[in-house]
Amino acid sequence: MTEAAFRDLHAALRRTADATGDERRRGTLAHLTPARVAGAAAGVRHGRTVSLAAPIETRPGPDDPQPAVYRLTAPTARESGAPGVHFALDRFAMNVHGDAHSHLDALCHVVFDGELHGGLPESRLTSDGGRGLTVDLVRNGIVGPGVLLDVPRLRGVPWLDPGDCVTVDDLLAAEEAQGVRAGPGDLLLVRVGHRRRRRETGAWDAAHARAGLHPTCVRLLAERQVSVLGSDGNNDTAPSPVAGVPFPVHVLALHALGMHLMDYLNLDGLAGACAELGSWRFLCAVAPLRLPGATGSPVNPIAVL
């Protein structure tokens, strides 16, 4: 895709959004109505829960040069073995937007041409955090109908190789093969097999080589009024299929549409459960941390089938 074609698509998607600049608006979460949340809850049949997150890692690797820093701070040496009550305490810090752990991107995560989503100025981002469009917009969580599309299953392969793009045709064919259709308010999860490849072949520099969605897929998501997009990769392909524009899916989803993204989920367990139960729909609950000025948050989404 040329940069000119990308910019045309970006402009078209931006026109579909309510670009008022009101920092309180919910972007595509407006499609996730109370009735759709209630309908998803009513659709739970088995009471089976599946975590969609990968464990947070503390050792550096090719795709995680800045791993989480974890330290047990108590009991201290003086307290250890002493009589009475003591507490185990710990502390951890992390790069929210790393390439190894599962996280949610807030709408302020992407700056494009000096602007945030809705035309807000980049100056809203300061060393003290963001002002508007932060994770605080979803402080009450994101709960609604989830749909999983398993592209490696469709293609008959264990995973998509780095650099491969999921196309619109892939999404449509996966829907047909699985007997499901993503629609208004859905949290759409697209499996590319990133986690299985990492587990079986070892970590690699995913910042420069990974499977993801082609930017034209975002047009389909907008037409279907999908509320959230998630993947077991970064959602974006690397190298970028758009000349001169890195992370085009992030730019189109977060910046143009106001669609929250979830990156680097673990969808292998969910894929197995959905195949076993013969249903690719579920209730999905996402609970980001209460970080008012943050551009993202680690998450442990739960699918309930």
Side-chain angles (χ1 to χ4, degrees), residues 9 15 54 62 69 101 153 169 182 191-192 205-206 221 226 229 239 257 272-273 300:
L9 177 56
R15 286 193 296 270
V69 178
H101 52 264
R153 174 186 174 91
D169 287 343
R191 181 175 177 268
V192 298
D205 184 1
L221 307 189
V226 166
L229 172 64
L257 284 180
N300 179 21

Side-chain angles (χ1 to χ4, degrees), residues 3 37 43 59 69 76 99 109 132 152 175 187 252 275 292:
E3 182 176 350
V37 176
R59 295 183 178 180
V69 178
T76 64
D99 290 319
H109 177 45
E175 286 184 330
L187 285 72
L252 295 175

Side-chain angles (χ1 to χ4, degrees), residues 164-283:
D164 199 351
C165 278
V166 175
T167 66
V168 171
D169 287 343
D170 284 325
L171 297 181
L172 297 177
E175 286 184 330
E176 182 176 359
Q178 297 172 203
V180 70
R181 177 184 170 88
D186 285 346
L187 285 72
L188 176 61
L189 309 180
V190 180
R191 181 175 177 268
V192 298
H194 182 101
R195 288 292 177 187
R196 180 175 174 183
R197 187 181 193 275
R198 188 178 190 269
R199 185 172 63 250
E200 295 187 11
T201 69
W204 71 96
D205 184 1
H208 296 96
R210 60 180 178 269
L213 278 66
H214 193 274
T216 52
C217 291
V218 183
R219 180 191 287 115
L220 176 66
L221 307 189
E223 293 171 350
R224 296 285 190 86
Q225 297 185 340
V226 166
S227 64
V228 175
L229 172 64
S231 176
D232 53 345
N234 176 262
N235 287 292
D236 265 298
T237 306
S240 172
V242 179
V245 182
F247 303 99
V249 170
H250 276 65
V251 176
L252 295 175
L254 288 163
H255 189 274
L257 284 180
M259 176 181 290
H260 287 80
L261 297 180
M262 290 189 289
D263 297 336
Y264 294 110
L265 301 175
N266 183 356
L267 301 178
D268 294 345
L270 177 61
C274 288
E276 175 189 341
L277 300 175
S279 175
W280 300 87
R281 277 197 167 274
F282 43 89
L283 174 68

